[in-house]
Amino acid sequence: MGLSVVILAAGQGKRMKSDLPKVLQPLAGKALVRHVIDAARKLAPSSIHVVVGHGGEAVTEALKDSGVAFALQAEQKGTGHAVMQAMPAVPADDRVLVLYGDVPLVDPATLRTLVEAAGERTLSILSVRLPDPTGYGRVLRDNAGTVYRIVEQKDATRKELAVNEVNTGLLCAPAAALGAWLQALRNDNAQGEYYLTDVVAAAVKDGFRVEAVAAPTIPEVLGINDKAQLAEVEAHYRRQRAAELFAAGVTIIDPARLDVRGTVEVGRDVTLEPNVMLEGTVRLGNRVRVGIGCVLRNVSIGDDTEIHPYSVLVDARVGAQCAVGPYARLRPGTVLADEAHVGNSVELKNTVLGHGSKANHLTYLGDATVGSGVNVGAGTITCNYDGVNKWQTVIEDGAFIGSGSMLVAPVTVGRDATIGAGTTLTRPAPRGALTLERAKQQTRERWSRPTTAGPEEKAEREARAGLPRPD
Ligand code: UD1
Ligand code: CA
């Protein structure tokens, strides 16, 4: 039997009070429904169908590159009606796994159990016991413990409401049978909806077995209806990612203040200080330390490197034994060779900084190739942009760039050259030599500080300076 997945995502999500459809609300930077799709993918289904309705165009647009199929539920007539919209596209001999677009943390391993529990004559549902089952459908069992029905909160008797085994909404069933049960659904209930949950009673009537699989944890079946629940579920997500890194031996000073939004590969004895954000693909070598408040997106960092506080690194490669920050910004295309140092308030973009080279203070290096053993003085700026074009700067091995230099690209600094502080470099600086560009210093002995100007003198000087006259 093949597997088709149907993800319900047509609901409005009124309680979000947002113009963004509920299933597109971001959790850890990724739309809720994307989390569900990614979990479903792990089961290698033959197809994934997303049922859209409210904000359907936005959802379809947001998922157009995801390889899922769409079914439109023009009017929200209930969960059963929603699944029905996808059934024509599902092969009759498949198993159908129904997921919710607003239940994002569902564990693929749990889904696998649910799918395996379903069979030719078996419907499987995912249930969970909740201390407070209010609002959920209750799983009803007979004296022998056999599931025979799910009753919704609004349709339940007082005795049924006392049941704390609830329906998570996720289920799996053979397609042909499910299709038939859905066709036969009626909406004569408290909400006037076609309930997916009514297929349980229909299955029992047809002599099917109903297997209730217990969800191993509560967070993975939590649905999201409002912003508070969104934050709550994100906190679970955060803890899960931290737990994975703990298991890999990472020291995390405060797991509640670590955000992992991608794939992280770690060496041994990595330390993450509070408020670190790791996004995309991040590789951290042995003994790497990432300081408080750092953001790393698609970054690889070599052994024994320390990223000091409040640095932002995006699409960058950092070698071993480097030091970065505090307050450094490594923008896309930055490559630091081993033992390079990038200090405070230094920005690099599309720049290679060679072995052991240093740019320690208040510097911008853009579109630059810097050799090894180079010292870039404080306040050095590569003037790489003329307003239209981006130009390259090349600084060869062993060069020394004096503080406050403007390197007007395209320009080159030869091997072991020295640039005097404050130079505006517009032509090549030859190797080995001192190149400087500097106005002559002067001192005026016969000079006194200004005195307070009277109104007339003020007006006159301002007029001479071209300032508009006050009226
Ligand atoms: C549903 C279940 C309930 C279960 C609960 C778990 C039914 C009848 N009830 O109730 O037993 O305990 O989920 O959270 O299934 N949706 C559509 N189209 C619709 C209606 C809903 O796509 O016409 C989608 C929603 O966007 C949502 C999901 O289906 O993703 C569940 O809908 P919701 O209205 O939240 O169901 P509940 O009434 O909470
Ligand atoms: Ca719900």
Side-chain angles (χ1 to χ4, degrees), residues 279 281-285 288 295-303 305-307 312-324 329-342 348-357 368-370:
E279 297 176 277
T281 305
V282 174
R283 288 197 188 83
L284 306 175
V288 165
V295 177
L296 276 60
R297 184 192 311 149
N298 299 325
V299 166
S300 82
I301 296 181
D303 295 349
T305 284
E306 179 154 10
I307 312 296
V312 178
L313 287 69
V314 175
D315 298 326
R317 237 167 56 218
V318 177
Q321 288 177 270
C322 289
V324 173
R329 178 156 183 224
L330 305 189
R331 291 168 52 202
T334 297
V335 177
L336 305 191
D338 295 349
E339 294 176 55
H341 288 198
V342 169
L348 270 66
K349 185 217 69 173
N350 197 22
T351 285
V352 177
L353 192 58
H355 187 279
S357 290
T369 306
V370 180

Side-chain angles (χ1 to χ4, degrees), residues 95 111-119 124 172:
R95 263 181 285 198
L111 295 183
R112 221 166 275 133
T113 310
L114 186 64
V115 169
E116 278 159 15
S124 62
C172 187

Side-chain angles (χ1 to χ4, degrees), residues 15 22 100 102 225:
R15 280 174 282 169
K22 175 160 82 169
Y100 284 5
D102 55 4
N225 296 307

Side-chain angles (χ1 to χ4, degrees), residues 381-456:
I381 288 172
T382 54
C383 310
N384 61 325
Y385 184 52
D386 60 14
V388 186
N389 310 287
K390 298 279 172 64
W391 299 102
Q392 293 284 322
T393 299
V394 174
I395 303 173
E396 292 180 0
D397 296 351
F400 180 97
I401 314 294
S403 295
S405 294
M406 302 292 124
L407 310 177
V408 183
V411 75
T412 55
V413 176
R415 199 185 172 102
D416 295 322
T418 300
I419 307 299
T423 294
T424 298
L425 193 72
T426 51
R427 282 173 290 144
R431 57 156 57 194
L434 168 67
T435 297
L436 75 172
E437 182 265 3
R438 193 178 288 169
K440 206 163 178 219
Q441 182 168 323
Q442 31 177 303
T443 302
R444 296 184 183 181
E445 299 288 357
R446 291 160 58 78
W447 178 82
S448 55
R449 290 185 179 169
T451 53
T452 309
E456 259 164 54

